[in-house]
Amino acid sequence: MKNILARGGIEFLAVLVGLSGSLWIDGNVKENESIVQNNEILNRLYMNLKADSSDGEWNRKAYERGVKGSKRIIEWCDSNPTFDMVNDSIEKDISAILIATYFGNNEEEYNSLKNSGQMHLIKNKSIITDLHRYYSSLKWTDYVDADTWRLTEEEITPFLSEYSNELYFDVRAESREKNRVYAIYPKLNLIKLPDIDKLRFYASKKLWDHEHQVRWYKSIVNRVTKLRTLLRKELDIK
């Protein structure tokens, strides 16, 4: 009887140990799969942030051109200008106040990471905090850029259209540099002198907006650089 009980106990322990081992292996496999999936999301997120860095720097430079143009136009307006004082340089500076950009960041991978329920697998917890702060701040970026587009398209462009007959450059023509303000932004062609007081007001308004946007996009690029550094360490990217 004792031998039977002993054998039964040994068999029970063997089953228990085998079951525990099997559960431990299954748990390990699932955790490893989760880590792999998490790292795949982080890798895609890293590439998105790389694009954000490039876009942010492009936008910063565009708004710097806007700042430069706005300052020059304010000075020009204060010089009691006549139409004879209009030249290509002045037309480019006036055109620069029309600059407006859009920050086309991709939040899909960040949302995937949040919804995966696996953010706890990230070893460096400051990544989680910094990602949240970064993506939360982009709501303000969208608002400011949209407001700039509204002011440009609904107010300044209609105002300048009363004094111009063209806002265009042919990307294939040899004269494209002459008719380009910055990157994709064309130069207008004035046919008469604009209302100087109103032009000065719009230049001062855009100077205020563009100076803020230069600082804001610079901070975006700095935050993205920090995040990419943290992700490289997390993912062991050389």
Side-chain angles (χ1 to χ4, degrees):
M1 185 68 174
K2 289 181 180 179
N3 290 338
I4 293 172
L5 289 173
R7 281 199 306 272
I10 292 169
E11 289 172 357
F12 173 76
L13 285 174
V15 171
L16 183 61
V17 169
L19 182 60
S20 299
S22 178
L23 291 173
W24 181 82
I25 291 170
D26 287 346
N28 249 12
V29 169
K30 288 179 180 178
E31 184 175 0
N32 288 337
E33 288 176 351
S34 296
I35 290 172
V36 169
Q37 291 172 359
N38 219 43
N39 286 346
E40 287 175 352
I41 294 174
L42 288 177
N43 268 297
R44 291 194 296 270
L45 185 59
Y46 176 82
M47 296 308 297
N48 285 349
L49 289 171
K50 187 176 181 180
D52 284 0
S53 181
S54 297
D55 291 348
E57 185 64 13
W58 194 96
N59 288 359
R60 182 187 67 79
K61 289 180 178 179
Y63 284 127
E64 280 185 341
R65 180 63 181 93
V67 167
K68 181 180 176 183
S70 297
K71 286 181 177 179
R72 286 179 174 174
I73 290 307
I74 291 171
E75 292 175 0
W76 186 72
C77 288
D78 290 343
S79 70
N80 194 27
T82 62
F83 188 68
D84 291 338
M85 297 169 64
V86 173
N87 54 38
D88 282 347
S89 179
I90 290 300
E91 288 177 331
K92 283 187 176 183
D93 288 333
I94 292 175
S95 304
I97 70 176
L98 295 173
I99 287 175
T101 71
Y102 172 73
F103 190 50
N105 65 293
N106 187 341
E107 297 186 27
E108 183 179 340
E109 298 305 333
Y110 175 62
N111 290 330
S112 296
L113 186 65
K114 284 196 303 182
N115 296 333
S116 70
Q118 297 171 359
M119 292 187 82
H120 65 282
L121 296 174
I122 297 175
K123 296 187 284 292
N124 187 343
K125 302 308 175 187
S126 65
I127 292 177
I128 300 171
T129 304
D130 288 348
L131 280 172
H132 175 72
R133 287 176 179 169
Y134 171 67
Y135 282 101
S136 296
S137 73
L138 295 184
K139 292 180 177 64
W140 174 248
T141 307
D142 292 342
Y143 169 79
V144 172
D145 283 345
D147 189 58
T148 300
W149 274 101
R150 183 203 60 76
L151 177 64
T152 299
E153 295 301 318
E154 296 181 13
E155 295 186 42
I156 304 179
T157 299
F159 160 66
L160 290 174
S161 70
E162 298 294 320
Y163 308 95
S164 312
N165 66 356
E166 188 175 76
L167 182 63
Y168 174 79
F169 75 87
D170 188 341
V171 296
R172 298 163 297 178
E174 291 182 5
S175 62
R176 64 182 180 275
E177 291 307 317
K178 179 183 176 182
N179 296 317
R180 181 167 67 172
V181 179
Y182 174 78
I184 61 172
Y185 300 102
K187 178 184 77 68
L188 56 74
N189 183 61
L190 289 175
I191 55 175
K192 57 183 176 179
L193 192 68
D195 181 320
I196 296 302
D197 288 337
K198 199 166 186 179
L199 177 61
R200 192 188 191 285
F201 170 78
Y202 280 132
S204 66
K205 177 67 172 74
K206 273 302 193 81
L207 176 60
W208 175 266
D209 292 347
H210 288 171
E211 284 181 335
H212 167 74
Q213 286 161 309
V214 167
R215 291 191 298 269
W216 184 249
Y217 274 108
K218 185 176 181 179
S219 74
I220 283 178
V221 172
N222 288 339
R223 276 178 283 170
V224 169
T225 299
K226 180 185 176 184
L227 274 168
R228 289 176 62 202
T229 299
L230 292 174
L231 285 171
R232 275 198 300 271
K233 291 179 180 178
E234 180 78 14
L235 298 166
D236 196 27
I237 298 174
K238 303 300 183 183

